[in-house]
C-alpha cells in the first residue's frame, strides 16, 4: 500500500518503509540467486521473509514470481535490502515507477 509518506507491506514479515529512508531503488530484469532461507516462507515461486541473496547478503524478500523483474530497495538505516516483485511483470514495473516518483 502506497501512502503519502511511506509504503506498507502487510502480513507476515511485513514492513513499513518511509520514502525518506530509501537510499536507492533499482529495477533488475532478473532475480539474483536466492540462497538459504534464514526465517521465511518458501511456497514455490512465493518467497517471503529473510533469505541470503547472492551479491546482496541477508535480504528481506517479498517475491511472488521466480521470474524478473525485481525491485531492490536499499535503505539508509538498514543493512538488509528489500526485494519485491509481483506475479505480473508489468505490475512490478509500475510499482517501481510509483516508488521512484515518491522518493
Amino acid at each position: 500500500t502506497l501512502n503519502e509518506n511511506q509504503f506498507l507491506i502487510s502480513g507476515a514479515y511485513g514492513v513499513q518503509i518511509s520514502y525518506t529512508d530509501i537510499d536507492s531503488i533499482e529495477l533488475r530484469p532478473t532475480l539474483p540467486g536466492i540462497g538459504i532461507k534464514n526465517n521465511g516462507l518458501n511456497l514455490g515461486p512465493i518467497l517471503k521473509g529473510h533469505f541470503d541473496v547472492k551479491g546482496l547478503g541477508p535480504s528481506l524478500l517479498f517475491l511472488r514470481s521466480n521470474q524478473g523483474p525485481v525491485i531492490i530497495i536499499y535503505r539508509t538505516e538498514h543493512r538488509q535490502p528489500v526485494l519485491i516483485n509481483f506475479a505480473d511483470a508489468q505490475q512490478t514495473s509500475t510499482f517501481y515507477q510509483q516508488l521512484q516518483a515518491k522518493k
Side-chain angles (χ1 to χ4, degrees):
T1 305
L2 292 170
N3 296 320
E4 185 176 332
N5 298 317
Q6 65 185 6
F7 73 94
L8 168 69
I9 299 173
S10 60
Y13 307 100
V15 65
Q16 292 181 26
I17 299 176
S18 172
Y19 302 124
T20 58
D21 289 341
I22 296 173
D23 186 43
S24 64
I25 306 170
E26 88 182 69
L27 182 66
R28 289 193 187 172
T30 58
L31 291 174
I34 308 296
I36 297 171
K37 173 177 67 174
N38 296 317
N39 181 7
L41 173 71
N42 182 348
L43 295 172
I46 298 172
L47 301 175
K48 191 171 183 181
H50 301 274
F51 290 77
D52 286 331
V53 177
K54 185 177 182 180
L56 299 175
S59 302
L60 183 56
L61 276 54
F62 298 96
L63 304 178
R64 295 289 178 192
S65 171
N66 56 8
Q67 305 290 315
V70 62
I71 300 165
I72 303 176
I73 301 169
Y74 301 94
R75 298 176 288 170
T76 310
E77 299 293 325
H78 296 83
R79 292 185 185 170
Q80 283 190 333
V82 177
L83 283 71
I84 302 170
N85 79 357
F86 297 89
D88 175 30
Q90 183 57 49
Q91 191 176 1
T92 302
S93 296
T94 300
F95 187 65
Y96 171 76
Q97 292 168 356
Q98 291 171 329
L99 285 178
Q100 284 288 80
K102 296 276 191 180
K103 184 178 164 304

